Each structure stands twice: as C-alpha cells, then as structure tokens.
Amino acid sequence: MIKILLVIVGYISLALGIVGIFLPLIPTTPFLLLAAMSFLHSSNKLYNWLVTHRIFGTYINGYLQFRAISTASKIVTMVLLWGVIGTTIIFHTDIFWLRVVLLLIAVSVSVHILMLRTLTKEMMKQLKVEKESY
C-alpha cells in the first residue's frame, strides 16, 4: 500500500515538475527531486527511468551533484518569472500590498536562481559518464 502511495506521489510530483518547466512560480527541481525520492522507495524501474531521462535526469543529477542548473534554465526561468509577475503587477492588480508581495517573491526567486551554480561542459560530461553507469 505504501509503495502504491509513493508511486502516486511520484507521478503527481513529476507532473508538477513538468508544469514548473513552463510556469515560473512552480519550482521544477524540488518536484523532480520529490518524484525521484518517491520512486526510489517504491519502484527501481521508475527511479532509473527518471534519473536517466534525457531532460528530467539533467535537472535532478545536476542539482544533486553540483547544486547547479543550466544557463538556458536560468534564462528561461528569469524571463518567465519577470514576464508573468511584471505583467501581473502592472496590468492585473491595483492592490499595493499584493504588488509588493509579488515583487518580493520575484526578487527572492531571482536571487536564489542566480546564486545556483551554472552547469558547465565538464559537469555535463561527468553527468553523462555517470548516467551511462546506471
């Protein structure tokens, strides 16, 4: 029963992580890490699929091993984050305190993203070498 629950949590987390790739307010990596942990404790097949996946595996392994994300991920995150929050602040709310909260969220997320290391070619090569050993 626990394994079934963990598989369900893993799939929900994976879905939220995928949504987070496209929506800046939903974090991708934490949900993918939760999915990996859930699959690790419930299904070796799903865990191995996730950590060796061409897209998701890079997020998970890059973050776990190096606390780093790709330059493209940083750029996309920043553009979407500021685009969505900026549009909301300017066009969709007249409430001052909500504008301040949204601005603080955007600044906080930006600081966090910019403080993460950037995946280098050497890091990516190391991830690929380790990925092939699965």
Side-chain angles (χ1 to χ4, degrees):
M1 182 66 180
I2 298 279
K3 287 187 177 191
I4 293 171
L5 183 61
L6 286 172
V7 168
I8 292 169
V9 169
Y11 276 121
I12 291 170
S13 299
L14 178 60
L16 289 171
I18 292 169
V19 170
I21 292 171
F22 304 102
L23 296 177
L25 294 179
I26 298 176
T28 300
T29 304
F31 282 118
L32 293 179
L33 292 172
L34 179 59
M37 189 261 334
S38 298
F39 291 153
L40 176 66
H41 294 291
S42 62
S43 170
N44 287 335
K45 181 180 177 183
L46 290 173
Y47 174 76
N48 287 331
W49 170 80
L50 185 61
V51 297
T52 59
H53 190 274
R54 182 176 61 87
I55 297 170
F56 309 134
T58 303
Y59 278 101
I60 294 166
N61 295 313
Y63 189 84
L64 288 177
Q65 291 180 23
F66 305 111
R67 193 158 166 78
I69 61 175
S70 70
T71 301
S73 294
K74 284 186 178 185
I75 292 169
V76 168
T77 299
M78 298 302 282
V79 167
L80 289 174
L81 173 72
W82 284 100
V84 170
I85 289 184
T87 302
T88 302
I89 288 172
I90 295 168
F91 299 113
H92 300 291
T93 185
D94 294 328
I95 304 170
F96 177 75
W97 67 265
L98 183 57
R99 287 180 171 176
V100 171
V101 168
L102 289 171
L103 187 60
L104 289 173
I105 290 170
V107 169
S108 299
V109 172
S110 297
V111 168
H112 173 72
I113 296 299
L114 294 173
M115 290 185 72
L116 291 173
R117 295 171 64 189
T118 302
L119 279 174
T120 62
K121 290 180 182 179
E122 292 77 26
M123 290 176 185
M124 292 298 288
K125 286 179 187 174
Q126 188 173 348
L127 288 175
K128 287 180 183 177
V129 169
E130 292 175 8
K131 183 177 174 180
E132 291 170 1
S133 67
Y134 279 105

